[in-house]
Amino acid sequence: MKRDGLGALATVLGGVILVAVIAWLIVLASPHQPALTSNPDGTITIGGTTYNHVTLSIATYPDSLFGARGSGGAHPDWVSYSNDNLVVPAHSAVTMTVRQYDTGGEPNNPYFAKVVGTVGGTETINGTSVTSIPVNDVAHTFTLREIAGNAPYLYLNAPLPAVSASAANTLHIGHGTYPKPNVVTFTFITKGKGVYLWNCEFPCGDSVSGFGGAMSTYGYMSGTLTVN
Amino acid sequence: MTNENKEKQGKLRWGELITVWLVLTILTVTGSLTIIPHLMPRAASSTMHLNILTVVVFSVTAAPVGSFVYAIAAYGLRNWRAGSGDEPPADGPPLRGNNVVTIVWIVVSTFLCVFLLVWGLAALSSDSSAAANSTFKVDVTGQQWLWTFHYPGTSVTTESLYLPEGKTVTFEVTSLDVVHGFWIEQMGVKIDANPGEVTTISVTPDKLGTFDVRCTEFCGLYHAFMTTQVHVVTPTKYHAWLQAQQA
C-alpha cells in the first residue's frame, strides 16, 4: 500500500516536471530577440492633432545573414526581418522605415498590395508616395494587427516592393551581400498600451502555401510590436 | 465479505435511489436553465438565439438521463462498496426478462431521440429558409492569418466586416491556403473555409454593435490570433460606410 502511494506520487511529480519542461521549451521557442525601441523625434501635427513623434528603422533580407541572427543561425537561407521585437510609445506617431532587399512576386491575396491603416493611407517608396503597389511586385508586407484581448483594435498593411531579380549585389551588410534596397516609409498612430502582432502576408516561406519555414517560425517573418 | 455487507448488497432501496435521482435532476435542470445561457456568447442574431435555446433544451432533456446514471453510480458507491479488507464481490448474474424495464427504456429512448431529431431538422430548415431569402452576399476569404471580406458589386475589400442590422446576409466562404474556420461567435455562424471550394452560410444580425470573428480550424503558427471584428450598423450608416470606402 505504501509503495503504491509512493508510485502514484512519483507519477504525478513526473507529469508535473514533464509539463514544466514542455512549457519551458515553448517559452524558448517564443520571440526572444532584444527589443528594438523607437527613437524620439519631437512632435508632429497630423489632422490638427499634435502627437509625440518617434522613428523606427528595420529591414527585410532574402536570407538570415544579418540582424539578430548574426551569421545566420539555424536557417541562413531563410528570408528574414532584421528584428522581431519592436517597442513604441502609446498614442504617438510612429514613422517606420523599412529597407527591403529581397525579390518578390504576387501575394496569395492582391488585397495585401494595398496600403491600409497608415496616415493618409499612403507610404513612400524611395521618396514617392503611393497607396498601393503593383500586385506582381510585392516582396513582403508589414501587416500589423492587435492581439485580441491584449490591445485595442488596429490594422495596418504596408506592402514592400520587390527589388529586381537582375539587380547586382553591391552592398555588404553583416555576412551577406545585397542589392540596393527599396526604402519604404510610412507613419501610423499607435493606440493604447498592449501587444500587437505583425507578420508578412507574402508567401515567402516553404510548403505548398508558402507559409511554412520562415513564415511559421518565430524570429524570421513575424514579430510583436509592444506599445507601452 | 461481512454478513452486513452481503445484506446491504442484496437490497435495492428504490426510495433512496429515486431521491438521489430527483435531487440531481432538479440541480442539473436548474443549472441548465440558469447557468448555461450565461456561458454562451450574447446573442446578436436569431440564429444565435436558437443556438442558445437548443443547448438549453438539450441540456434539460439530458439532465434526467445523466442524473439517473450518476444516481446509480452514487448509490452503488455508497451501498455496494466493499469494506476495507473485504474481498470484492464477484459480478452478479445477468438480469433478463424484466419487461417493464425493457419497455420503459425503449419508449423513453425513442421519445428522446425523435424529439431531438425533430428539433434538429426544424433548426436546419430555419437556416435554409434564411439562406433562400438572402440577396445580400459577402465574400469571406481566409488566409494565414487574416480574414478579408469583399462586397460583391463593389471594389471594396476590408479586413474587418461591416453589416447592416436586420438584413439577411449570405457569406460565401473560401480559403487561399489551408483549411480555416469562419466563426462569428455572437451570431451563431460557423463554417469551414476550404481552399478551392466555396461554402455558404446565412445570418440576420439583429443587434447593433461590434462582435468577434475567430478561426476555428488550427491553421498554423498564428491561428490563435486570426481574429477580427464585425461591425453591425444601421442600414443608413452601412451605405454611407460603403460609399466612403469606394470614394
Side-chain angles (χ1 to χ4, degrees):
Chain A
M1 189 74 180
K2 202 169 182 178
R3 284 187 63 181
D4 288 348
L6 286 174
L9 186 63
T11 303
V12 171
L13 279 175
V16 169
I17 291 168
L18 181 65
V19 170
V21 168
I22 291 171
W24 182 62
L25 290 172
I26 290 173
V27 169
L28 283 183
S30 300
H32 60 279
Q33 291 180 9
L36 178 67
T37 305
S38 58
N39 298 309
D41 188 33
T43 59
I44 187 171
T45 301
I46 298 170
T49 305
T50 301
Y51 295 94
N52 173 38
H53 185 221
V54 300
T55 61
L56 199 59
S57 187
I58 58 176
T60 55
Y61 298 98
D63 52 36
S64 298
L65 298 176
F66 187 66
R69 281 156 301 279
S71 61
H75 304 282
D77 57 331
W78 279 8
V79 292
S80 65
Y81 266 89
S82 58
N83 302 81
D84 76 346
N85 184 1
L86 311 178
V87 180
V88 297
H91 306 294
S92 300
V94 179
T95 296
M96 280 194 72
T97 300
V98 185
R99 285 177 173 76
Q100 201 298 108
Y101 294 91
D102 200 4
T103 56
E106 191 169 334
N108 291 343
N109 188 336
Y111 180 63
F112 297 111
K114 186 178 171 187
V115 183
V116 179
T118 63
V119 172
T122 62
E123 65 182 20
T124 63
I125 300 170
N126 302 323
T128 303
S129 180
V130 300
T131 57
S132 65
I133 66 175
V135 172
N136 59 357
D137 194 33
V138 179
H140 301 289
T141 72
F142 181 83
T143 307
L144 175 71
R145 93 295 293 269
E146 89 292 353
I147 292 177
N150 283 285
Y153 183 81
L154 177 74
Y155 177 79
L156 179 151
N157 182 64
L160 309 176
V163 170
S164 168
S166 60
N169 290 338
T170 55
L171 300 175
H172 298 278
I173 304 172
H175 296 266
T177 307
Y178 309 102
K180 184 184 175 190
N182 283 319
V183 181
V184 181
T185 304
F186 54 91
T187 300
F188 65 98
I189 311 295
T190 56
K191 294 187 174 180
K193 293 180 180 178
V195 179
Y196 299 76
L197 171 73
W198 58 266
N199 66 290
C200 174
E201 281 296 333
F202 181 83
C204 53
D206 300 336
S207 82
V208 175
S209 67
F211 273 74
M215 294 289 276
S216 289
T217 305
Y218 293 127
Y220 287 86
M221 294 309 293
S222 62
T224 56
L225 178 97
T226 304
V227 175
N228 59 24
Chain B
M1 183 179 287
T2 64
N3 288 335
E4 187 187 357
N5 279 342
K6 283 179 181 171
E7 194 175 330
K8 278 167 68 178
Q9 187 183 4
K11 292 178 182 176
L12 176 62
R13 292 193 292 275
W14 281 99
E16 186 182 334
L17 179 61
I18 289 172
T19 301
V20 174
W21 175 53
L22 285 175
V23 169
L24 285 176
T25 299
I26 290 168
L27 286 174
T28 48
V29 166
T30 305
S32 300
L33 293 171
T34 58
I35 297 173
I36 285 179
H38 298 288
L39 298 178
M40 305 281 284
R42 66 190 171 107
S45 72
S46 56
T47 307
M48 191 62 200
H49 284 291
L50 180 59
N51 285 0
I52 293 173
L53 183 62
T54 299
V55 172
V56 170
V57 168
F58 278 30
S59 300
V60 168
T61 308
V65 181
S67 296
F68 188 61
V69 173
Y70 283 106
I72 291 174
Y75 181 91
L77 284 171
R78 181 175 185 276
N79 296 299
W80 296 332
R81 184 177 67 246
S84 175
D86 285 349
E87 182 183 341
D91 195 7
L95 299 175
R96 289 195 179 91
N98 192 328
N99 292 335
V100 174
V101 169
T102 306
I103 289 169
V104 168
W105 181 259
I106 289 173
V107 168
V108 170
S109 298
T110 303
F111 172 76
L112 288 175
C113 288
V114 170
F115 171 72
L116 299 180
L117 175 68
V118 169
W119 184 284
L121 290 175
L124 282 174
S125 170
S126 168
D127 281 351
S128 301
S129 62
N133 295 329
S134 169
T135 55
F136 173 46
K137 298 187 190 308
V138 174
D139 296 335
V140 179
T141 302
Q143 60 257 292
Q144 292 166 309
W145 292 277
L146 283 163
W147 295 103
T148 49
F149 307 95
H150 177 68
Y151 301 78
T154 74
S155 59
V156 177
T157 301
T158 57
E159 76 294 338
S160 60
L161 178 62
Y162 279 76
L163 296 174
E165 181 195 24
K167 185 164 186 176
T168 301
V169 55
T170 296
F171 298 111
E172 300 198 331
V173 184
T174 190
S175 165
L176 295 179
D177 37 49
V178 297
V179 177
H180 300 280
F182 177 62
W183 180 33
I184 307 177
E185 286 183 32
Q186 296 88 347
M187 292 186 195
V189 167
K190 189 154 94 63
I191 193 165
D192 276 0
N194 299 310
E197 300 289 337
V198 176
T199 49
T200 60
I201 191 167
S202 299
V203 72
T204 309
D206 63 6
K207 189 172 281 184
L208 297 173
T210 301
F211 307 101
D212 305 310
V213 176
R214 293 182 185 280
C215 178
T216 56
E217 291 286 349
F218 180 64
C219 59
L221 184 65
Y222 292 118
H223 159 70
F225 306 130
M226 192 170 164
T227 61
T228 189
Q229 295 182 334
V230 185
H231 305 277
V232 178
V233 296
T234 61
T236 308
K237 282 188 177 175
Y238 171 77
H239 289 297
W241 171 83
L242 198 61
Q243 284 192 339
Q245 295 297 309
Q246 294 183 94

